[in-house]
Amino acid sequence: MSEPAELHPEHNILIRKLRSISPLADDEMHCIATLPFLTKSLPADQDIVREGDRPSECCLVVEGFACRYKLTDEGKRQIFSFHMPGDIPDLQSLHLKVMDHSLMTMKPSKLAFIPHESLNRVLDRCPRVAKVLWRDTLIDAAVFREWMIGIGRRSAETRIAHVLCEVLVRMRAVGLADGHACEWPITQAEIGDALGLSTVHVNRSLQELRSKNLITLRGSVLSVQDWEGLKEVGEFDPTYLHLDGDAERAA
Amino acid sequence: MSEPAELHPEHNILIRKLRSISPLADDEMHCIATLPFLTKSLPADQDIVREGDRPSECCLVVEGFACRYKLTDEGKRQIFSFHMPGDIPDLQSLHLKVMDHSLMTMKPSKLAFIPHESLNRVLDRCPRVAKVLWRDTLIDAAVFREWMIGIGRRSAETRIAHVLCEVLVRMRAVGLADGHACEWPITQAEIGDALGLSTVHVNRSLQELRSKNLITLRGSVLSVQDWEGLKEVGEFDPTYLHLDGDAERAA
DNA sequence: CGCCTATTTGATCTGATTCAAACAATGTGG
DNA sequence: CCACATTGTTTGAATCAGATCAAATAGGCG
């Protein structure tokens, strides 16, 4: 349960994230703490890795926010996922050489780059850590599925309520939420690109949620006033996030 | 390149599938060939694993066709993926205890159930195989992303053309396509549930594709008359399938 | 203050849905 | 081998959720 103070903040946030999805033994945490990294700070709206790239390192979000996306031939954007501190959005590049999508910052962010080589060495030495990371990529896929059902089959209001719930729960899992409130660095245009909606329609649906007194969303802070109500409107069931760690559990 | 005749057809199709996404050494194939399994035959439209289940085995499709899906509160269905012989649609259950979606047959199918226990033993013994299976789940996620961009941002015609391309290429990768034709066990209603469309609209979009002389889709056989044209309409770029095996490559 | 980005509002349009019904194919049992 | 039942495909008409276009307002920040 302890989080040694001598840890680098980079290792610390990664361990906190992994412990939110799976229990970790001391030696496994030590193993993770041996990972070398190079920290870089990037401004907002900057590509980190691009479709077609063949990265030789993975990117850990330490501070800030990022998203993965891809453009259609007509230039429309689909965002696949949002990433917060603790996430390694391009972990897949460890086993899939060529990027089939891009990764970018959504606000000024601090990123830690970990060489594939070192990561592979740690995974060989510590197979339990390999399993946790595999598990992480599987949860990633579960989130894709959940967004898919939203985009394909749910109303705009439901989708938006759902993603609000998801981000809050995930933020809480790594200790970045304060009760039912958290930072909200996502613009309405970005919500639209994530959920297959126009900015205008996102705006109107958000007003709908506000008028039902479910949320407050001012500036860059999301505050959920009626969690049960929001969950219900968003058909949100956190099972798919598989938060079975030894850290705090989400509501 | 050889595929020993003494292999069980179950091991054989699995090895063929895995070799389509990654080269396999002889000892790795032998390792896979030690996997025990129990074969079962199921009729069409039968649940194999259900949301909420905690399976203790994985399901390999040997013959037939399957899909993963989930229902919304209003009873609408979203299909997440189609699965053909060689696929292990619930491989994720190895690391995610609770199913967050369901798996069902789409036609009478032969399935081989492999205990998690045996699978884990093989993965411990043969880490390279573990990497290939991890890779397989990552490709799975890449397919989700590609469907997401379709549902969220592409026209009905484009989405449908895209999924036609995808299934044909994947069928070819495991030797189940004949030139530009393959079995098509997917109904229009199922295409709709997969791509977030109504049956009626699927039907009209398919007629559009036919009228452009891109495809023939009669009974349960898909025949692509103009592959380049279909790829273009579907904005199909097979990169996301990561077919970097030592078996035949897709066009 | 002034610029840039994000949010909000209004009006119009359209791709896709829904409902309803006919039609075709496939398979089953007698 | 045919009649019937079942499932899948096709067609038509009306409707709607959400897109698009255009412009105004409101924040945030150097």
Side-chain angles (χ1 to χ4, degrees):
Chain A
M1 270 323 211
S2 60
E3 281 167 15
E6 346 78 57
L7 277 183
H8 285 289
E10 289 82 356
H11 292 140
N12 190 45
I13 185 69
L14 176 57
I15 287 172
R16 200 167 347 148
K17 155 63 187 273
L18 295 181
R19 286 184 71 192
S20 80
I21 60 166
S22 179
L24 284 183
D26 279 353
D27 63 313
E28 287 151 11
M29 291 195 253
H30 287 138
C31 208
I32 292 167
T34 65
L35 281 169
F37 58 84
L38 201 76
T39 300
K40 219 175 285 185
S41 285
L42 284 189
D45 300 312
Q46 199 86 29
D47 276 335
I48 304 167
V49 193
R50 232 180 292 252
E51 193 183 337
D53 284 357
R54 296 167 161 272
S56 61
E57 52 195 8
C58 286
C59 165
L60 166 68
V61 180
V62 180
E63 287 168 20
F65 235 78
C67 70
R68 290 193 272 172
Y69 72 95
K70 189 167 170 174
L71 304 174
T72 67
D73 289 3
E74 294 92 43
K76 294 184 181 174
R77 178 171 70 159
Q78 176 67 48
I79 292 177
F80 300 123
S81 56
F82 296 128
H83 293 282
M84 53 194 62
D87 287 346
I88 306 180
D90 62 345
L91 184 53
Q92 61 151 327
S93 67
L94 203 57
H95 295 302
L96 299 180
K97 261 72 64 180
V98 181
M99 289 297 292
D100 53 46
H101 62 279
S102 302
L103 171 63
M104 71 182 286
T105 57
M106 295 172 70
K107 49 169 295 194
S109 301
K110 206 166 111 185
L111 309 168
F113 291 89
I114 307 170
H116 284 175
E117 203 187 322
S118 341
L119 214 31
N120 273 319
R121 220 174 306 119
V122 164
L123 299 192
D124 286 342
R125 185 147 43 86
C126 203
R128 269 279 310 160
V129 172
K131 281 188 185 168
V132 176
L133 290 184
W134 187 351
R135 181 178 161 87
D136 185 52
T137 62
L138 291 171
I139 294 173
D140 210 54
V143 174
F144 293 151
R145 285 193 296 270
E146 203 59 30
W147 285 30
M148 246 173 86
I149 192 172
I151 301 171
R153 291 299 184 213
R154 300 205 251 239
S155 72
E157 204 189 336
T158 302
R159 289 181 235 187
I160 292 174
H162 193 281
V163 87
L164 293 173
C165 290
E166 176 184 306
V167 170
L168 180 61
V169 167
R170 286 174 53 206
M171 289 289 265
R172 183 167 27 232
V174 287
L176 292 175
D178 177 17
H180 279 136
C182 71
E183 196 202 341
W184 188 265
I186 306 171
T187 67
Q188 296 182 3
E190 287 162 342
I191 297 177
D193 283 346
L195 304 181
L197 297 167
S198 68
T199 308
V200 171
H201 203 59
V202 169
N203 184 280
R204 291 184 171 130
S205 305
L206 278 172
Q207 289 179 47
E208 191 62 28
L209 292 176
R210 277 192 275 245
S211 77
K212 290 177 180 167
N213 291 312
L214 298 174
I215 60 161
T216 308
L217 189 51
R218 315 205 55 65
S220 61
V221 173
L222 165 68
S223 176
V224 177
Q225 293 168 302
D226 178 357
W227 176 245
E228 288 304 322
L230 188 66
K231 268 176 69 174
E232 192 169 321
V233 170
E235 299 186 14
F236 181 75
D237 171 356
T239 305
Y240 75 100
L241 290 173
H242 299 273
L243 293 172
D244 304 322
D246 43 16
E248 69 285 317
R249 210 62 48 91
Chain B
M1 273 321 212
S2 61
E3 281 165 15
E6 345 80 59
L7 278 182
H8 285 289
E10 288 82 356
H11 292 140
N12 189 44
I13 186 68
L14 176 57
I15 287 173
R16 202 170 342 151
K17 155 64 186 273
L18 295 180
R19 288 183 70 192
S20 80
I21 61 168
S22 179
L24 285 183
D26 279 353
D27 62 313
E28 288 151 12
M29 291 196 252
H30 287 139
C31 209
I32 292 167
T34 66
L35 282 168
F37 58 85
L38 202 75
T39 300
K40 219 176 283 184
S41 285
L42 284 188
D45 300 312
Q46 199 87 29
D47 276 336
I48 304 167
V49 193
R50 233 180 290 252
E51 193 182 337
D53 284 357
R54 296 168 161 272
S56 62
E57 51 194 9
C58 286
C59 165
L60 165 68
V61 180
V62 180
E63 287 168 22
F65 235 78
C67 71
R68 291 193 274 171
Y69 73 95
K70 189 167 171 175
L71 304 175
T72 68
D73 288 2
E74 295 91 41
K76 293 182 182 177
R77 178 171 71 159
Q78 177 67 49
I79 291 177
F80 300 123
S81 57
F82 295 129
H83 293 282
M84 55 195 61
D87 286 347
I88 305 181
D90 62 346
L91 184 53
Q92 62 151 327
S93 66
L94 203 57
H95 296 302
L96 300 180
K97 259 72 65 181
V98 181
M99 288 297 292
D100 53 45
H101 62 279
S102 302
L103 171 63
M104 69 182 289
T105 56
M106 297 173 69
K107 48 168 295 192
S109 301
K110 206 166 112 184
L111 309 168
F113 291 90
I114 307 171
H116 284 175
E117 200 187 323
S118 341
L119 214 31
N120 273 320
R121 220 175 304 121
V122 163
L123 298 192
D124 286 342
R125 185 147 42 86
C126 203
R128 268 280 309 159
V129 172
K131 283 189 183 166
V132 175
L133 289 184
W134 188 350
R135 180 178 162 88
D136 185 52
T137 63
L138 291 170
I139 294 173
D140 211 53
V143 174
F144 293 150
R145 285 193 295 272
E146 203 58 32
W147 285 29
M148 248 174 85
I149 193 173
I151 300 171
R153 290 301 185 211
R154 299 206 252 240
S155 71
E157 204 190 336
T158 301
R159 290 181 234 188
I160 293 174
H162 193 282
V163 86
L164 293 173
C165 290
E166 177 184 306
V167 170
L168 180 60
V169 166
R170 287 174 54 205
M171 289 288 264
R172 184 169 24 236
V174 286
L176 291 174
D178 177 16
H180 279 136
C182 71
E183 196 202 342
W184 188 264
I186 306 171
T187 67
Q188 296 183 4
E190 287 162 342
I191 297 177
D193 283 347
L195 304 182
L197 296 168
S198 66
T199 308
V200 172
H201 202 59
V202 169
N203 183 280
R204 290 183 173 132
S205 304
L206 277 173
Q207 288 178 47
E208 190 62 29
L209 292 176
R210 278 192 273 246
S211 77
K212 290 177 180 167
N213 291 312
L214 298 173
I215 59 160
T216 308
L217 189 51
R218 313 205 55 65
S220 61
V221 174
L222 164 68
S223 176
V224 177
Q225 293 168 302
D226 178 357
W227 176 245
E228 288 305 322
L230 188 65
K231 268 176 68 173
E232 192 170 320
V233 170
E235 297 186 16
F236 181 75
D237 171 355
T239 305
Y240 75 98
L241 291 173
H242 299 273
L243 294 172
D244 305 323
D246 43 15
E248 69 285 318
R249 210 61 49 90

